[in-house]
Amino acid sequence: MPIPSFTLQNLLFDVGDTITSLKGSILTQEYAKADYIYILLEGKVNVYILIEEKTKTLLVGKICRKFTPLGWSGLNLPKRYTSTIKVLSKSSKVLRLHRATLEEILKGKEDGITFYKWLCSECRNLIEETANFLSDEHFPQQPTYSIGPEILP
């Protein structure tokens, strides 16, 4: 679903940076400090979680819908990402929003309420999509790759 208000959309684009990342780039790393929240504008990304004592990853979602929020778990305490998001398409364009700036400009404002309502609705949809993705029809799934030094800092 698009960002619900033209005013809010303009505000987000004014304070955010539009960045393009190439295939294989990591937007969020599970457990890393969440400095940014992203909104997908173009492209496709995969979402992974760590399993087997944090030695392997499990693909839990594929996202290509414009205006999908990414890294939103970083808005909650302890302000860390709960998944790794990796660019799947040749390139991907996102709106990158600094978490602290976003929290500050939306605090106590009508646009803030609109943003968080939109975010909650989008997150609910993502959780439902993940549950469907991991349903008996798609599961069990083998871990996709081992964590190596090229992924973890």
Side-chain angles (χ1 to χ4, degrees), residues 61-81:
K62 296 180 178 196
I63 301 171
C64 61
R65 190 175 57 246
K66 186 175 183 177
F67 295 123
T68 298
L70 307 170
W72 49 270
S73 59
L75 290 170
N76 299 313
L77 290 174
K79 309 289 187 188
R80 297 198 176 272
Y81 298 118

Side-chain angles (χ1 to χ4, degrees), residues 4-5 15-16 18 22 35 51 56 58 71 75 77 89 92 115 121 126 134 137-139 141 143 152:
S5 142
V15 300
T18 301
L22 300 176
D35 291 323
I51 60 170
K56 297 188 179 186
L58 178 68
L75 290 170
L77 290 174
S89 53
S92 185
F115 174 79
S121 174
L126 288 169
L134 295 175
E137 175 178 328
H138 293 92
F139 205 69
Q141 178 188 136
L152 295 178

Side-chain angles (χ1 to χ4, degrees), residues 104-150:
E104 184 61 33
I105 64 166
L106 295 176
K107 188 176 187 177
K109 297 189 175 120
E110 187 64 35
D111 280 338
I113 294 168
T114 302
F115 174 79
Y116 287 114
K117 283 182 178 179
W118 169 78
L119 183 66
C120 287
S121 174
E122 288 297 305
C123 293
R124 186 190 70 237
N125 292 340
L126 288 169
I127 291 167
E128 287 175 4
E129 289 169 12
T130 299
N132 290 334
F133 185 81
L134 295 175
S135 70
D136 292 339
E137 175 178 328
H138 293 92
F139 205 69
Q141 178 188 136
Q142 293 299 312
T144 53
Y145 58 84
S146 294
I147 296 294
E150 70 280 1

Side-chain angles (χ1 to χ4, degrees), residues 18 22 30 37 49 57 78 82 86-87 91 94 98 111 119 126 129-131 137 140:
T18 301
L22 300 176
E30 189 172 357
I37 306 305
I49 59 171
T57 60
T82 58
K86 189 174 181 180
V87 175
S91 68
V94 296
H98 195 273
D111 280 338
L119 183 66
L126 288 169
E129 289 169 12
T130 299
E137 175 178 328

